[in-house]
Amino acid sequence: MATIRLLPDQLINQIAAGEVVERPASALKELLENSLDAGSTDIQVSLLQGGIKQMRVTDNGGGVAKEDLMLALTRHATSKIASLEDLESVASLGFRGEALASIASISRTQLLSRQVGSKHAWRIGSEGSEISAVEPAALDAGTVIEVSDLYFNTPARRKFLKTEATEFGHCEEMFTRIALSRPDVSLMLQHNGRALSRFAIGQPERRFSEVLGSEFVAESIAVDESAAGLRLWGMAAKPTFNRNSRDTQYVYVNGRFVRDKVIAHAIRQAYQDVLHHDRHPAFVLFLELDPNLVDVNVHPAKTEVRFRDSQAIHRFIFHSLHKALAIPTGVSNAVTANQAQYNPFSPQASNTPAVNSGMLYPTQQSQINLSAHEPQGFYQSLFGSNVSQQASAVSLPADVFANHAVSTESINEYPLGFAVGQVHGVYVLAQNKEGLVVVDMHAAHERIMYEKLKNALDSKTVQMQPLLLPVSFNADKLEVATVQEALAGNQATLQQLGFDIAILSPTTLAVRAVPTMLQDADAVTLARDVLRDLREYGASRVLTERRNELLGTMACHAAVRANRSLSIPEMNALLRDMEATERSGQCNHGRPTWFQVSMTDLDKMFMRGK
């Protein structure tokens, strides 16, 4: 007796619905994507009871022809692709031909549509497996699809739905994803008869502000990088605007929201150097590439993709974000006229040269002209002629005090302003054009030293400072063995890092030279830390994947310590170095190095004007 049988179409559709329509939000996603594929510029969503009772999507797209209405509710019937070649270069959001058939098989569905150029609209309905005949209807243009009583005929699935509030929350998140991806489309969301969100067509930055809040835009950096046919654009929040969860992370590949491990890892690595380990970044990023280079047919939900060259994608995203986040302290909010006018969704956008076009995504922040050099002659006139010697006390550059005249107006060019004092040997207070700046001097100097060490190691120019008297210390067997291994076979690991460590006896090591930038650090403690990393991770890993951790430790040793009294010129030299150092807004551990207190904030504290 035969035990293998063909499944009926209705059961096939219901099985497919288990993958495609996990909950009301999944169905809403499919309906919204269909509206976008139809060329809609205005979409309205109305939900009842979190979408469980009913969801209604109305659009002004191209509509569906009368003869196609029946096929629209049929499994594996689609207008998006017609061949394997089409499948390998999918440009639309929908293409599998499963969504509407799956939704219709587990709900009571009404589809009303009027194709452009048709005299009137047509309607078709379904209740589970029963599909009604096509009949005339009244509609100005576009399509209206109404899905009611989701899972009415599969009660086992319905039991797994959460509360109305929870299901609506998922629907609202799905609506948010679509809204962020298409600022060229107006969208409206209603729940239980109450209008909750309404977004007009506008610039991407405006849409981001409306959806995620003005603070996100104000605290974000514009990203727009292109290379080798790839483009990454959008907004990435500064490390100081971090979150305790991943609730503000949106990535789109060719306009499709995705959750991809390659992209997520690249973004994490880009933020790793500036973000505290238990916090999460916020971003809205769009990756654009040739559809032939990405497979979107990985899972029916279409939130997973597979890249043909995932390593190249990883490198591109990492370097693009790493570059954007490497902005010296102090940026302006100026937006050029060209940037403000550019809309990446306009018909001209696809023809815009990818590199050096001068028409980048509208940026909220742009770098101002920063200099590592102090207004020359300024300090001599204020504090006397011995400022160079004072500044060198904490290894800060003395050449910032070279002798040239400068106008008073040039002071406004320096975002962090000029020092006025120090609090308990920990914080530097400075006055800039905005008001008061408070700087954590150890954290700021640590970042400066860290970036200098990275640059020196990358360019193989870590200079070595011989000690006048070598410093010997008692070492354990593992420390001695680590030095032996580092010196054996002409390995130059210690030399690359700027150290000369010799073995005096089986229990004694001597530090004969340290990196010039770290000459004021405790030589023994510094050497022990470096040897510990070499022992635990090996020379190759220390100079590659563990490089930043080691350099961060070295920078911490070299940074000016808390409770150290600095002179005014020393404080100002620190401020100037911060302005010229990448990522100087955060220390090596992701904590902020400075805060701005505006005059408005100060006036509020003292109730001035009230």
Side-chain angles (χ1 to χ4, degrees), residues 46-59:
S46 178
L47 305 176
L48 291 178
Q49 297 179 18
I52 302 171
K53 180 64 178 175
Q54 186 184 88
M55 63 180 68
R56 180 185 176 95
V57 176
T58 305
D59 67 51

Side-chain angles (χ1 to χ4, degrees), residues 30-61:
E30 301 294 343
L31 300 182
L32 287 172
E33 289 183 348
N34 280 344
S35 293
L36 293 175
D37 283 340
S40 305
T41 58
D42 181 70
I43 303 175
Q44 299 179 26
V45 178
S46 178
L47 305 176
L48 291 178
Q49 297 179 18
I52 302 171
K53 180 64 178 175
Q54 186 184 88
M55 63 180 68
R56 180 185 176 95
V57 176
T58 305
D59 67 51
N60 65 344

